Amino acid sequence: VLETGAPQFVPDLRQDPRLLQTALPERTGLRGACCFAVTDENRAVGVLAFVGREVRRGDPRTLGAMSAIGRQ
């Protein structure tokens, strides 16, 4: 997200190969995640990530809203 600036949903952390700490979802009960870039003049300066205990799928409307929030 920091490199591309594009928001992302991770529907199920247990199935995401990018997760470095593979035991984390089982140990904590966390399942779904979403994250988006915080930008300044079209440059990503940070990332906000939110995790939850439910498996969730992203939708274009929510991804658009997350992008808009990150540009504030």
Side-chain angles (χ1 to χ4, degrees), residues 35-71:
C35 50
F36 59 93
V38 176
T39 60
D40 180 33
E41 297 181 11
N42 296 323
R43 183 177 61 95
V45 295
V47 173
L48 292 177
F50 301 89
V51 294
R53 295 186 184 274
E54 297 177 22
V55 173
R56 292 194 174 200
R57 302 250 179 253
D59 63 83
R61 185 175 176 197
T62 302
L63 290 172
M66 291 185 331
S67 291
I69 292 168
R71 290 189 302 266

Side-chain angles (χ1 to χ4, degrees), residues 1-60:
V1 172
L2 191 58
E3 291 176 6
T4 66
Q8 283 204 347
F9 266 95
V10 180
D12 192 343
L13 292 168
R14 297 171 296 180
Q15 298 178 5
D16 193 318
R18 298 170 294 182
L19 187 64
L20 299 177
Q21 296 182 10
T22 56
L24 183 68
E26 294 303 323
R27 199 170 64 243
T28 63
L30 297 174
R31 297 294 182 256
C34 65
C35 50
F36 59 93
V38 176
T39 60
D40 180 33
E41 297 181 11
N42 296 323
R43 183 177 61 95
V45 295
V47 173
L48 292 177
F50 301 89
V51 294
R53 295 186 184 274
E54 297 177 22
V55 173
R56 292 194 174 200
R57 302 250 179 253
D59 63 83

